[in-house]
Amino acid sequence: MKENCVALSEAAELINPRRKEGVGLVFRVSKVSYPLNPESLPEGKATSYLLKTGDVVLQNVGNPDVYLVSDAALPEIYVSTYDVVIKCRKISPAYLFLYLASVEGQKALKSIQSGTMVKHIVLSDLRKLAIPLPDKADEVYEKEFEETYLKR
């Protein structure tokens, strides 16, 4: 592990949604943009995880796109089984999102992808991903996220 880095599993909880009985609105990183519009989400098979404010969601099949859920009030929305939910514990969600969406973060994510036809990220490899520790206050990253992604 690089100096001034922490394994993702030390900084956050990783949740891999599983299918369950029922249907409902389904969030998939590759199908959404800012701001999140629940009315544009497709109905699909329910999963074991409901989307929550502050979740960082990573698409683990195909391109490793990432999304930070910043909406305060959300209806019942299930997270797709093609995505992994990252619940930050020791670093701010805005910081983690900005890192994973950056050129450096995308390079790190792509380096742990496997598969020849369809690239995917194995959860055990994602848990070990080295995340640089933030060097600024959480508010700085939150402001950068808002200015870059929410004020378009």
Side-chain angles (χ1 to χ4, degrees), residues 46-129:
T47 66
S48 59
Y49 189 83
L50 290 171
L51 196 64
K52 296 176 184 63
T53 303
D55 287 345
V56 176
V57 187
L58 171 70
Q59 179 174 292
N60 67 341
V61 175
N63 198 45
D65 296 328
V66 63
Y67 191 97
L68 172 58
V69 181
S70 60
D71 307 78
L74 293 169
E76 191 171 271
I77 300 171
Y78 296 100
V79 177
S80 167
T81 56
Y82 293 103
D83 298 332
V84 172
V85 179
I86 305 171
K87 299 191 71 58
C88 294
R89 294 188 303 237
K90 295 183 179 178
I91 54 178
S92 85
Y95 169 75
L96 181 63
F97 168 80
L98 291 168
Y99 171 71
L100 294 176
S102 73
V103 172
E104 181 183 346
Q106 284 291 297
K107 185 177 176 183
L109 287 168
K110 288 176 180 175
S111 76
I112 62 170
Q113 285 184 313
S114 55
T116 52
M117 295 292 282
V118 178
K119 299 286 187 187
H120 62 280
I121 297 174
V122 178
L123 208 54
S124 60
D125 293 336
L126 186 59
R127 285 186 175 99
K128 297 176 206 168
L129 185 71

